[in-house]
Amino acid sequence: MYRGSEGQWAFYLHRISGIGILVFLVLHVLNIASAMWGPEVSNAFMKFYHQPVFQLGLLVLIAGVLYHGFNGLRIILMDFTTWGVRYQRQLWYGVWVLFVVFYLPFLVKIGGGILGGSHGD
């Protein structure tokens, strides 16, 4: 199942997306904690996070959350059904179909804002 095929890629992408989500959560907690130093510090962080590079990061975060969630459902099906492992390749391609369907609206909205120059304002 893992010898360089879909299962191997699913494993790697699941781990990478999980680490990305963890990095976001740490940054998010630090951002919320900045309110302890007053509104000036907190507002400075918020202004900093509204730069275009962080808007691209938001797209990456959304991609990671969607992939991690859908692939997690695939893993549940593989673990708790008698047929999951047999159809793991088809399930992985199903993860990608769901990913694209759910990611496109975010890409259009946020990506359009970045290209249009609004940067989430």
Side-chain angles (χ1 to χ4, degrees), residues 22-50:
L22 177 65
V23 168
F24 166 77
L25 288 174
V26 169
L27 287 174
H28 183 68
V29 168
L30 292 174
N31 184 35
I32 298 298
S34 71
M36 293 187 302
W37 293 291
E40 300 85 19
V41 175
S42 184
N43 289 338
F45 271 113
M46 290 305 291
K47 186 175 182 181
F48 179 72
Y49 288 141
H50 275 81

Side-chain angles (χ1 to χ4, degrees), residues 70-81:
F70 290 138
N71 192 56
L73 294 174
R74 180 187 75 90
I75 291 169
I76 289 170
L77 288 174
M78 288 174 52
D79 285 347
F80 293 108
T81 64

Side-chain angles (χ1 to χ4, degrees), residues 41-63:
V41 175
S42 184
N43 289 338
F45 271 113
M46 290 305 291
K47 186 175 182 181
F48 179 72
Y49 288 141
H50 275 81
Q51 296 179 49
V53 68
F54 285 102
Q55 296 298 305
L56 289 173
L58 179 61
L59 284 173
V60 172
L61 172 68
I62 292 168

